[in-house]
Amino acid sequence: MLLSLRRYTRDIPGKARDAPRFRSRFVTVKTEKLFSQCRFPLPSWDSRFLLRFASSHNFLIEAFKPACSISIKFSDGKTRKRVPIKRENGQTLLAPLFRNQENIAGKITIEPHQGKRIEHNGVKVELLGQIEMYLDRGNFYDFTSLVRELDVPGDIYERTTYPFEFSMVEMPYETYNGVNVRLRYVLKVTVSRNYGGSIIEYLNFLVHNYSPPPSINTSIKMEVGIEDCLHIEFEYNKSKYHLKDVIIGKIYYFLVKIKIKTMDIEIRRRESTVTGATNHVETETLAKFELMDGAPVRGESIPVRLFLSPYELTPTHRNINNKFSVKYYLNLVLVDEEGLRYFKQQQITIYRLPLQDT
Amino acid sequence: MLLIGAEDEEKWLAEGIAGIQHNAFYLHRALDSNNLRDALKYSAQMLSELRTSKLSPQKYYELYMRAFDELRILEMFFKDESKHGVSVVDLYELVQHAGNILPRLYLLCTVGSVYIKSKEAPAKELLQDLVEMCHGVQHPIRGLFLRSYLAQISRDKLLDIGSDYEGDAETVMDAVEFILENFTEMNKLWVRMQLEGPGRVREKREKERSALQELVGKNLHVLSQIEGVDLEIYKETVLPRVLEQVVNCKDDLSQYYLMDCIIQVFPDEYHLQTLEMLLAAFPQVQPTVDIKTVLSRLMDRLSKYAASSADVLTEFLQVEAFTKLSNAIEKVIEMQVDMPAVGAITLYVSLLTFTLRVHPDRLDYVDQVLGACVKKLSSIPKLEDRWATKQLVALLSAPLEKYNDTVTALTLSNYPRVMDHLDNGTNKVMAMVIIESIMKNNTCISTADKVEVLFELIKGLIKDLDGATDELDEEDFKDEQNSVAKLIHMLYNNEPEEMLKIICIVWKHTMAGGPKRLPFTVPSLVFSALRLVRQMQGQEGDIVGEEVPATPKKIFQLLSQMIEALSAVPSPELALRLYLQCAKAANGCDLEYVAYEFFTQVFVLYEEEIANSKAQVTAIHLIIGALQRMNVFNVENRDTLTHKTTGYSARLLKKPDQCRAVYACSHLFWVDGQDGIRDGERVLLCLKRALRIANAAQQMASIARDSSGPLTLFVEILNKYLYYFEKGNKQITAAAIQHLIELINTEMQSDSATSDAFLASTLRYIQFQKQRGGVMGAKFESIKL
C-alpha cells in the first residue's frame, strides 16, 4: 500500500493530550451516563419546547376566561395521520401531520359562553411558518404567513362555524425542535376586539417532507491514524441514510501499538444558528454505540451495524431560511487504557423516506 | 492493581452475582407479564455485569454461568412468539439496539439461535452473521466466553443442520465453516491472553489459560460430533483449517492442547487417512511445545486402533503409516534442537510400540527405530538423566515383550548399540530383563552367533564395565549371577560342534568376568559341557575316525581349564565337586587318564586348599562316593587312589568323622555289579579299623565328659556289617556280628544309656531277616540277639 494514498486527517492525529482543543469538546458530553444508559426507551421529546407550548395555551384559557371557546378542526382530521410526541410526564401529544403543498382545510367553531354576545372587529385565521431563535430573545421569524378573513366585524350570539381552506400551501421546511432553534407551523385564529383583548387560538401541526432515495450514495471509506502507533481504516456503506436505515461498516486495524479499551460510534447532531452576524453552533450526541470491547490486534476487522431507528433523528437541514442548519456526523471514538480518546468524525446526510413518520 | 487479592475478587464476584440476581428478578417479572421491552432492558442490564475486567477466569466463569442460566429462560421466551408478539426477524433487529456491545451480542446470539431454529432465514447467513458480529469483543476473556456461549447455544442446531439433511453437503459445510471460524477466533483470543499483562505473572496467566482451554477445545468436539463431517470434509476442510490455526498461532500452550485435542477428538480412521497432513504440522510448532507427549498419544491411539481389528491393518499398510511416522519423528527431532534426550527417546518408544503392534512381522522396522535412536544418542555416551534411562529401558523392553522369542531381539543389530547408552546399573537391569524374558519363554538359544550377541548384550552382568566402581549389593549380585548361570542352561544345540562353539564363547565371556563371578557361572557351564560329553558318548560310534573338532578329550581339556580357573578364585570346594563330576564323565567316556588326572586334581585341592575340617569331611565323603563309582581305572591306579582316600579318612580331625569316613571307605573295596571289585578282606579291615576308632572315640568321650559315648557309631558300623553280611562278604561272619551286638549291649548297660531307636530298629531288622526264612533267614539264623 502506498503511503501517499493515506490521509492522516488533521482532525485527530496525535493523542488528545497534545490537542486539548478536541478534548475540551467532550467535557459537555456526560459519557458515563450515556454509556450506562439503555437504548430501548425512545429519547424524550425536547422538554423545553413542550413546556412553553403548553403554558401559553393554558394561560389564555384559564387566566383570562375568554368569552368564547374556539375549536379548530381539520376537514380530514379523522383520517389524517397524527404523529405522537411523547412528553416527559408520559403524556403523548398527537399532532396532525402535513407535507409541503398540501391543502389545509377545516372548520373553525366559535361558541360564546353562557349565551354571551361577542362583539368583534373581524375573525381571521392565519397559517404561520415560524422560526424561533432562543438566542435571539425568542424572536419569531415568519417565513410563511397566509391569512383568511372569516368574518366581517359584527357580533356573535351563538355557536358559529367557519370553513377555511389554504390550498397548495408552500411549506418547504420541516418542523424542527432543536436546542437553540425551532421551526413550527401553526394555525392562528384571531377574534379581534376593541376591548378585553383579542381572543386568539393556536393549533400546532407538523410538517414532514420526503426525499426520494438519493441517486448517488457512495460509501465512506478512509484510512486514518497516528504514525507508527495506530493505523485504521473505517468504512461505512453509505454517506446518506434514511431515518430507519442501518449503518453497516467495518473498522480494519492495520496497526495497533496502543492498548485500546473500547471503540464507540457516536451520532452527533450539529445545529448551527445564525443570529444577526453571529453564528452559534450546538453539538449533541444522540447516540453512543459501543462497537468494540477490548484491545484488538493487527489485522482485526470489527463490524459495524448500527440501526438508526431507535434514535430520534431528523433529516439533515441545510441553511433553512438562512437561519439555521442541522447536520449529522458519525464519530468514531477510540479510548485507550489510559482514558485518552482518539476520534474521527464524518458527516452523513439523513433524509426522510415516505412513510417513515413514526 | 496487578496482583489482585483473592478477597477483593470474592467481593467483586459477589457484587456481580448480586447484580445479576437483581436484574434477573425484574427480568422474570417482565417475562411473566410478557413485557418484551422490559425483558430486553433487564436482560441487557443483567448482562452488563459480564463486562467486568476484575475477575479471574474461574470467577468469571461463575458469573457467566449465572447469566447463562437466565439466558436459557429468556431464550424460551423468545421462542414463543405468542408471548411477545414480535416476529423473530424483528426481534433479531431489536436486540441490536442495545448500546453496549457485550449485552448486545449475548442477546443477539440468543435470538439468533431461535432464529436458526425457526428456519425463517438460511442458517448459513445467520451463523455467518453471528460469528462475524462477535468480532466486536476483543477482550480475551469476555470474547472467549461470548464465543463459547455462541458455540453452546448453537450446538444443538448445528448438530441438526449438520446431520439432519443427509446428503446435503452444503448445509454441513455451513455448520463446519461456522465452527471453524468461531474456533479460530476463540483460539486467537486465547492466545492473546498470554500477551496481556506483565511478564512476571506469566505463570499465573498460564494457569488461568489452562482453565479456559476447554472452551476452545469444545469447538473441535462439536465438529467431531457432526455426523455430516465425513472423511472427505475432514480431510479437505476441517483438518487443514484447524492445523493452519494451530501452526500460525505460535503459542506453545495452545499448540500443545489443540494438537492433543485433534488427536483425541476425531476418529482414528481419520487420523490414519490424514496422517501425512497431521504429521506435517508437528515440526512446525514452537520448539517449547511438549510435542513428544502429543505424538506419543497419536501413535498410541493408532496402534490401539490397529489392534482393534485385522481389517484396518491393511489400511495402515496402504498409507505407509510407519514411514510417515518415522519421518515425522525425525523431522521433529531435527527441528527441536533443544529437546532433551528423554523426549526423543519417548518418541521412539511410542514409535516402537506402534511398530510392534501394527507391523509385528517387520523386524527391520524395529531395527530402524532403534537405529534412529542410536543416531540421536550418538552425542551422549552414557545417559545420566533418570527419566531418559527409564524410557530407554522401556524402548528396549518393548521388543522383548512383544516377541516371546527373545532370539528375535538378538537379530536386531542396533539393539546392543542402544544398550550401550545405558548407565552401568541400568544396563544390568536391562540384561536381567532380557534373561528373565528368555527364562520365562523357555527360549533355547541355539547358535554360536546368537550366543555371542546375547553375551554382548548382557555384558554388564558378565564382567565389570569400565568405570564401574560403585559398591554392589551382595544380594543383587548373587541374583544377577544366578540368572546368568540359569541362562547358560538355555544355550543348547543338538549339534555337538555348534554346542562346543557355544561353550567356548560362553567360557570366553565368563572368563572375563573375574573371580567374583566364576563360582556362579562355571558350574553351569561345566554341567552344560558335561551334558555335551554325555550326548557325544551316545553317538560315539558315528564319529570315530573322523577329524572332528568336538571330541570329548577336547571338552575335558576345556573343562579342566575352567575348573582350574575356579580353584584359583579360590573356591576349592566347588572346584573339587566339579572335578569329581568331570571324573565321572570321563569314566563314562572310558578315558582313564583323564579321569585319573581329575582325581589327581581333586587330591591336590584337598591337600592344599581344603583346610577346614568340616569341609574336609564333606570332601572325603564326596571323593569316596565318586571313586566308588569309577570303573575305568586299572588296579594300580585304583589302588593308589583308594589308598590315598583311606589314608585321608583316617587322618581326619575328629574321631567320629574318622570313624565314619573309614567305614565309608569300605565301599571302595566292594562294588556291586558284574566286574566290581570285591575285596572282602580289605572291607573287614576298614570296618575293624572303624570299630577301633569308635572305641577310642567312646573312651575319649567318657573321660572328657563322663557320659555315654557315641554309641551310634557302633550301631552304624553294625549296619555296615549287616550290609556286607547280606551282600555275601565271606569275611563278615555271623559271629562277628554277634560279637558286635554283644559289645553294643555291654556298652549300653555300662553307660546305662536309654534305649537307642536306631539300635532298636537295627535289631528289629535282624529279627525280621531271621524270620523271613529262605537263604537269608538261614544266614541270619546263627545270630542271636
Side-chain angles (χ1 to χ4, degrees), chain B residues 8-42:
Chain B
D8 287 344
E9 223 189 316
E10 284 293 343
K11 204 180 78 196
W12 286 321
L13 175 63
E15 278 173 15
I17 290 174
I20 286 184
Q21 282 170 341
H22 174 81
N23 286 303
F25 171 77
Y26 288 105
L27 171 64
H28 290 168
R29 224 159 64 165
L31 295 182
D32 289 344
S33 57
N34 294 337
N35 186 337
L36 179 64
R37 180 163 292 213
D38 277 2
L40 290 176
K41 177 179 155 193
Y42 288 113

Side-chain angles (χ1 to χ4, degrees), chain B residues 155-276:
Chain B
R155 188 170 159 266
D156 49 338
K157 287 97 192 166
L158 289 172
L159 291 182
D160 269 4
I161 59 171
S163 313
D164 257 11
Y165 312 99
E166 252 177 75
D168 192 350
E170 223 160 275
T171 34
V172 177
M173 283 308 288
D174 295 344
V176 169
E177 277 296 329
F178 165 74
I179 298 170
L180 282 174
E181 179 76 29
N182 203 33
F183 159 74
T184 308
E185 291 305 321
M186 278 176 89
N187 188 45
K188 279 184 191 165
L189 291 171
W190 191 43
V191 170
R192 216 185 289 167
M193 261 180 88
Q194 192 68 41
L195 309 170
E196 299 233 321
R200 64 199 160 104
V201 291
R202 184 186 162 84
E203 221 167 273
K204 186 183 163 212
R205 197 159 296 282
E206 278 188 359
K207 213 172 132 199
E208 286 181 353
R209 285 190 60 203
S210 304
L212 294 177
Q213 63 185 21
E214 266 168 46
L215 298 183
V216 185
K218 189 92 182 161
N219 286 301
L220 296 180
H221 191 232
V222 174
L223 267 180
S224 74
Q225 282 180 324
I226 295 180
E227 275 175 38
V229 177
D230 53 15
L231 181 60
E232 198 181 329
I233 293 179
Y234 178 74
K235 198 172 181 175
E236 299 295 326
T237 311
V238 176
L239 187 63
R241 293 271 299 274
V242 174
L243 284 180
E244 185 195 354
Q245 178 57 30
V246 170
V247 169
N248 288 346
C249 75
K250 297 201 190 324
D251 174 80
D252 42 1
L253 188 65
S254 164
Q255 289 180 334
Y256 173 75
Y257 173 70
L258 292 177
M259 285 308 264
D260 197 32
C261 215
I262 294 171
I263 290 165
Q264 303 300 334
V265 153
F266 293 106
D268 301 319
E269 186 198 341
Y270 289 8
H271 292 318
L272 189 60
Q273 295 302 330
T274 56
L275 202 52
E276 201 157 358

Side-chain angles (χ1 to χ4, degrees), chain A residues 118-123 151-156 162 191-194:
Chain A
I118 299 169
E119 188 186 333
H120 62 86
N121 290 339
V123 180
D151 204 355
V152 291
D155 298 326
I156 298 171
Y162 307 98
V191 180
S192 310
R193 294 201 293 184
N194 285 333

Side-chain angles (χ1 to χ4, degrees), chain A residues 189-339:
Chain A
V189 178
T190 313
V191 180
S192 310
R193 294 201 293 184
N194 285 333
Y195 53 92
S198 297
I199 303 167
I200 300 167
E201 178 68 37
Y202 294 94
L203 178 65
N204 280 278
F205 64 93
L206 291 169
V207 174
H208 282 171
N209 286 325
Y210 309 120
S211 325
S215 52
I216 301 166
N217 200 348
T218 52
S219 66
I220 300 174
K221 189 171 180 177
M222 189 179 280
E223 284 182 43
V224 287
I226 305 156
E227 200 141 8
D228 297 330
C229 188
L230 178 70
H231 187 178
I232 63 172
E233 180 190 78
F234 60 81
E235 180 176 358
Y236 308 126
N237 59 338
K238 300 179 204 167
S239 49
K240 292 167 183 156
Y241 296 93
H242 60 75
L243 289 170
K244 310 289 180 206
D245 219 341
V246 190
I247 298 175
I248 308 279
K250 67 175 164 59
I251 288 97
Y252 186 82
Y253 281 82
F254 285 112
L255 177 78
V256 225
K257 285 193 177 165
I258 46 171
K259 287 255 170 167
I260 293 173
K261 203 167 74 184
T262 57
M263 175 169 71
D264 296 337
I265 194 165
E266 294 172 339
I267 300 174
R268 287 155 69 85
R269 174 156 70 192
R270 195 156 157 197
E271 179 188 289
S272 50
T273 43
V274 182
T275 335
T278 57
N279 196 340
H280 194 88
V281 176
E282 191 73 43
T283 308
E284 285 173 280
T285 301
L286 299 180
K288 190 176 164 78
F289 191 74
E290 197 181 10
L291 288 180
M292 187 184 76
D293 169 27
V297 292
R298 211 168 64 145
E300 281 297 346
S301 175
I302 309 298
V304 179
R305 183 186 295 153
L306 174 58
F307 289 91
L308 297 180
S309 54
Y311 307 105
E312 201 59 31
L313 305 179
T314 69
T316 298
H317 297 305
R318 285 193 188 81
N319 197 19
I320 300 300
N321 206 32
N322 288 327
K323 292 287 182 221
F324 71 98
S325 296
V326 178
K327 290 174 180 171
Y328 285 92
Y329 294 87
L330 285 181
N331 192 25
L332 187 68
V333 184
L334 283 76
V335 185
D336 73 6
E337 289 202 326
E338 291 162 51

Side-chain angles (χ1 to χ4, degrees), chain B residues 363-398:
Chain B
L363 268 182
D364 54 332
Y365 282 170
V366 177
D367 204 32
Q368 207 173 315
V369 177
L370 294 173
C373 190
V374 169
K375 208 170 111 194
K376 167 68 190 170
L377 294 175
S378 55
S379 55
I380 321 159
K382 289 281 176 205
L383 280 175
E384 304 291 336
D385 180 16
R386 205 158 54 85
W387 292 109
T389 311
K390 211 172 163 187
Q391 287 299 326
L392 207 54
V393 170
L395 181 74
L396 290 167
S397 308

Side-chain angles (χ1 to χ4, degrees), chain B residues 388-411:
Chain B
T389 311
K390 211 172 163 187
Q391 287 299 326
L392 207 54
V393 170
L395 181 74
L396 290 167
S397 308
L400 295 181
E401 280 162 23
K402 175 71 188 177
Y403 301 109
N404 290 335
D405 183 7
T406 316
V407 179
T408 316
L410 304 180
T411 58

